Amino acid sequence: MLFCGMKLTHDGSVALIQDDTLVFSYEVEKFNNNKRYSEIPDLTFVEEALALNGYTAADVDHYTIDGWAGLKTGEVTTRYRGEELALTVAPYREAALSANSLLPYPGKGLKLGGTEREYTSYLHSTTHLLSTYCASPFAERGEDAYLLVYDGGMYPRLYFFNYKQGTMENLGPVFMLIGNIYSLFALHFEPFFQEGRGPRIDDLSVAGKVMAYIATGRVREELLGCFERTYREHFSPSMEFNWIFSREIKRFVDEHHIPHADALASFHLYMERLLVDSITAAVRKHGNRSRNFCFIGGCSLNIKWNSAIRSSGIFDEVFVSPFTNDTGSAIGAACCEMYRQTGNLHLKWSVYSGPSAVRNDPPEGWSQKAFSIPELARLLHDTNEPVVVLNGRAELGPRALGNRSILATAIQPEMKDRLNAIKKRESYRPVSPICMEERAPLIFEPGTRDPYMLFDHMLREPWSERIPAIRHLDGSARLQTVSRDDNPVIYDLLCEYEKLSGIPVLCNTSANLLGSGFFPDVRSATEWNGTGYVWCDGTLYYK
């Protein structure tokens, strides 16, 4: 049985599940160097994605669409072969605690393969929940779990999933600060404030930059108290509260001549403590029924919050998926329909289920030759030059995990600045380490398995001197661990590099044009001209 899920709005994507296995998940931004967060421009994108995997629209048994818009039903406008199409979809989230979040919303009028087709739609919050729970080890083991979904337009809502009963119990918000307040707050302060844009308009790229920038500031106790007072005195359940809250804090910061970096660092810690304390209180209130936890939604890309939850002791195991934000909504929609039709809750998946790298010709001035993994390791070691690596199928979600990466040696402190300059990124942005899994505990604290780069780790001494390029300003590192089972090509590369250098770590940052998704092919990676070397599936392209 084939289940096809679609996310039509920002972070547009299409996913296909066959029985219980993810066949692919294709995000629009990972084709043709499309801009990040792109919508599906035309439903022919779905037809083309199916065709790339040997399917037609008629082969699919069930189509389903991620929910959006209002609290009752919404309407999403899309196109099919240039013709405008309005589709009714499920709401963004529940309107009440009593709502059954697993119920489908039926729809008609979807056009694919030249034919009108029926479809279902599920709450946007539900597609988030099932995208992560079905991918989690808890579903594989048949275990209950608490789930917290915290997305840009949502309050953080706690759920309890009872595996045996197959029920998703909505336990309500744990506090009343909507997810995008993190970025909207930052837009009131330097360096994120931009004259004329207006601080009420969100920017999906800001939250990740803030998480890096806070290392330049220090926490002010007087601000922590100010946040709490302002929250209590001014709260209202409306989107305007984000703006009112931020303006009140900005006034306090200006009156007391507090550096803006300190304001952002303090707000981050305030939110982190609020999140951990509120989850702890809610889980105790609802009976401590499980020691398993899934964190879901755009806010769970905050590695410092993830680490704070994991180290709090509330849970034995914390799972965050690599497609936890809206890039996983198409997968989640397909999981919802998989569960409804089959009763199966466990999805078999690989993070490398995106589109395959295209080995087309580079522009004039580039040459190519067969190049083995040991040769690639020696090139990195001997030249200290960064290399674009396009390996097999692209990663799901926003993090480059070795298959669409720029890899480089980490032994020179200036490599971080060099990579940021190549990518036209801000100087305070960190570069991530990619490390052999079994070596990670020797180099990082805690150094536990982290294949999706979703938790914070601290660099141990004396490694901060040996690999300074991956050390952030606060001593932390956004670690990705790799085992042979995770990615045999990248694991072997790290092994070969360790033989030459004694270091099982390389710098890893995403290979993409500024503001676009990962490079889809050799041509665009070489035309970009940011590095002198591009390696793709056993071939080295060089100037």
Side-chain angles (χ1 to χ4, degrees):
M1 195 174 291
L2 291 173
F3 307 98
C4 182
M6 288 169 274
K7 171 73 158 66
L8 300 177
T9 49
H10 76 77
D11 288 303
S13 55
V14 55
L16 186 71
I17 294 173
Q18 182 169 16
D19 299 326
D20 61 353
T21 302
L22 181 66
V23 178
F24 68 83
S25 181
Y26 289 172
E27 301 152 42
V28 175
E29 69 174 50
K30 290 174 183 169
F31 287 84
N32 303 317
N33 296 294
N34 289 326
K35 293 298 182 185
R36 290 196 67 196
Y37 319 116
S38 293
E39 299 181 356
I40 289 182
D42 192 292
L43 290 172
T44 52
F45 176 80
V46 178
E47 296 175 341
E48 291 162 3
L50 291 168
L52 284 172
N53 291 271
Y55 299 97
T56 69
D59 294 328
V60 174
D61 297 288
H62 299 280
Y63 286 98
T64 184
I65 301 175
D66 174 64
W68 204 243
L71 289 173
K72 293 185 178 179
T73 57
E75 189 173 87
V76 172
T77 301
T78 186
R79 304 183 78 81
Y80 179 63
R81 299 182 183 176
E83 175 191 349
E84 192 169 283
L85 201 64
L87 300 175
T88 300
V89 297
Y92 185 74
R93 60 184 181 275
E94 297 96 326
L97 287 181
S98 58
N100 184 346
S101 59
L102 296 175
L103 285 177
Y105 288 68
K108 293 182 180 180
L110 174 67
K111 290 185 180 179
L112 284 168
T115 302
E116 191 169 294
R117 303 181 186 279
E118 295 184 354
Y119 63 93
T120 55
S121 182
Y122 292 84
L123 298 168
H124 181 67
S125 54
T126 301
T127 66
H128 268 310
L129 290 161
L130 260 67
S131 74
T132 292
Y133 181 77
C134 291
S136 74
F138 317 131
E140 184 176 9
R141 299 194 300 253
E143 296 174 355
D144 301 342
Y146 285 102
L147 302 91
L148 187 83
V149 59
Y150 197 13
D151 204 32
M154 298 179 190
Y155 299 121
R157 281 182 181 245
L158 187 67
Y159 294 78
F160 180 75
F161 196 93
N162 186 305
Y163 182 85
K164 288 184 179 179
Q165 296 178 9
T167 56
M168 181 83 74
E169 185 181 353
N170 184 347
L171 305 176
V174 297
F175 59 84
M176 303 297 283
L177 288 173
I178 214 154
N180 62 9
I181 196 169
Y182 190 77
S183 54
L184 289 173
F185 178 85
L187 291 174
H188 288 75
F189 299 92
E190 298 294 342
F192 304 103
F193 178 78
Q194 292 183 13
E195 198 69 45
R197 181 173 63 181
R200 305 187 196 203
I201 301 172
D202 198 6
D203 182 334
L204 294 172
S205 71
V206 164
K209 295 177 183 179
V210 175
M211 186 172 59
Y213 185 72
I214 58 174
T216 67
R218 67 182 182 89
V219 173
R220 299 288 192 110
E221 288 298 327
E222 66 269 32
L223 270 176
L224 297 178
C226 181
F227 295 141
E228 187 59 32
R229 287 193 305 274
T230 305
Y231 178 38
R232 288 198 309 266
E233 293 171 7
H234 293 277
F235 174 75
S236 64
S238 72
M239 295 297 285
E240 276 298 287
F241 173 67
N242 285 338
W243 184 76
I244 295 168
F245 177 90
S246 302
R247 290 300 300 170
E248 287 297 315
I249 300 300
K250 177 67 161 49
R251 186 178 296 114
F252 182 91
V253 166
D254 289 345
E255 287 174 356
H256 293 81
H257 307 290
I258 296 173
H260 286 194
D262 292 1
L264 294 171
S266 301
F267 186 62
H268 172 93
L269 183 62
Y270 170 74
M271 291 288 294
E272 182 179 293
R273 288 177 177 175
L274 183 62
L275 186 63
V276 172
D277 291 348
S278 299
I279 293 170
T280 303
V283 167
R284 287 174 179 166
K285 176 184 175 182
H286 294 285
N288 291 305
R289 288 178 277 175
S290 175
R291 298 284 293 179
N292 298 328
F293 182 71
C294 294
F295 191 15
I296 309 143
C299 294
S300 65
L301 289 174
N302 191 313
I303 63 171
K304 295 184 179 297
W305 292 354
N306 296 348
S307 299
I309 294 170
R310 186 167 70 173
S311 63
S312 67
I314 317 169
F315 306 105
D316 294 334
E317 193 169 351
V318 174
F319 177 74
V320 185
S321 97
F323 42 85
T324 182
N325 63 340
D326 282 15
T327 59
S329 295
I331 297 173
C335 284
C336 289
E337 195 62 18
M338 174 186 75
Y339 175 54
R340 187 170 82 96
Q341 296 292 336
T342 69
N344 176 54
L345 280 164
H346 171 47
L347 177 69
K348 298 172 185 174
W349 61 282
S350 165
V351 72
Y352 304 106
S353 296
S356 296
V358 177
R359 290 180 58 179
N360 47 12
D361 292 330
E364 221 176 292
W366 286 74
S367 301
Q368 64 186 76
K369 60 183 176 181
F371 215 66
S372 67
I373 291 298
E375 288 174 313
L376 180 58
R378 181 160 291 281
L379 177 70
L380 288 163
H381 178 264
D382 290 353
T383 67
N384 282 320
E385 289 293 317
V387 179
V388 170
V389 172
L390 307 179
N391 174 40
R393 296 180 66 175
E395 301 88 336
L396 304 181
R399 303 271 163 86
L401 302 172
N403 278 15
R404 296 294 181 273
S405 293
I406 304 173
L407 301 181
T409 59
I411 58 175
Q412 299 171 320
E414 60 268 23
M415 183 59 78
K416 182 181 79 167
D417 294 334
R418 185 177 177 191
L419 290 172
N420 280 335
I422 287 172
K423 296 193 62 183
K424 301 178 181 177
R425 302 196 323 171
E426 297 83 358
S427 61
Y428 59 79
R429 303 279 292 277
V431 171
S432 300
I434 186 167
C435 179
M436 295 164 62
E437 182 180 301
E438 64 270 29
R439 302 283 193 268
L442 303 174
I443 303 170
F444 302 94
E445 168 62 41
T448 47
R449 175 173 164 79
D450 190 357
Y452 311 126
M453 205 188 291
L454 287 165
F455 293 88
D456 218 12
H457 300 256
M458 300 300 290
L459 197 55
R460 297 182 188 273
E461 296 295 342
W463 284 93
S464 58
E465 295 179 3
R466 296 188 69 185
I467 47 175
I470 55 83
R471 183 183 184 275
H472 194 31
L473 299 171
D474 60 1
S476 66
R478 191 171 71 177
L479 171 67
Q480 179 198 351
T481 62
V482 182
S483 70
R484 192 178 298 280
D485 289 340
D486 293 329
N487 192 323
V489 170
I490 300 302
Y491 182 83
D492 287 347
L493 176 61
L494 289 167
C495 288
E496 294 296 330
Y497 180 73
E498 185 187 32
K499 290 177 186 176
L500 298 169
S501 66
I503 296 172
V505 176
L506 288 168
C507 293
N508 174 24
T509 188
S510 58
N512 61 290
L513 298 174
L514 181 65
S516 296
F518 303 151
F519 288 129
D521 56 15
V522 168
R523 181 80 184 191
S524 57
T526 48
E527 283 182 333
W528 171 58
N529 226 21
T531 67
Y533 299 101
V534 173
W535 185 91
C536 181
D537 294 338
T539 299
L540 181 72
Y541 301 83
Y542 58 98
K543 288 185 183 181

